[in-house]
Amino acid sequence: MTSPRIALLHVSDRPEDISRAIGIAHTLHEARPGYGIRIIVNGPAVRGATLDADPLEVPGFASIEICEGGLRARDIPVDALQSGVTTTASAAVALADAQFDGAAYNRV
């Protein structure tokens, strides 16, 4: 049995790039519905997942994972995140682990 193919969408610069990554995730899902899709967010972009940001429509076929270190660096508590997003302890570790496991990396 082969492992599922995973596409990583890495968002770190601008908060509005999370919505852009969601659009890219839709494109990927339409073209390759069997792919797993992970949107991993760190740096200044983490602000795009907070309750006071524009609402995110998290697709059921993808995950949005926010770096806990990025949240701490900006004094954003986890409970200030929008529904449907999760956290990862470290975006750098999550990205490296996934790539070592064969995931395809895409910078957004």
Side-chain angles (χ1 to χ4, degrees), residues 39-77:
I39 300 169
I40 300 182
V41 183
N42 69 329
V46 301
R47 294 190 189 284
T50 61
L51 292 170
D52 58 348
D54 289 339
L56 298 173
E57 293 188 30
V58 182
F61 54 82
S63 65
I64 300 178
E65 305 167 38
I66 310 299
C67 177
E68 292 172 8
L71 293 174
R72 280 191 304 277
R74 288 157 186 82
D75 295 319
I76 300 171

Side-chain angles (χ1 to χ4, degrees), residues 76-94:
I76 300 171
V78 172
D79 62 0
L81 294 176
Q82 293 184 37
S83 174
V85 301
T86 60
T87 63
T88 186
S90 167
V93 172

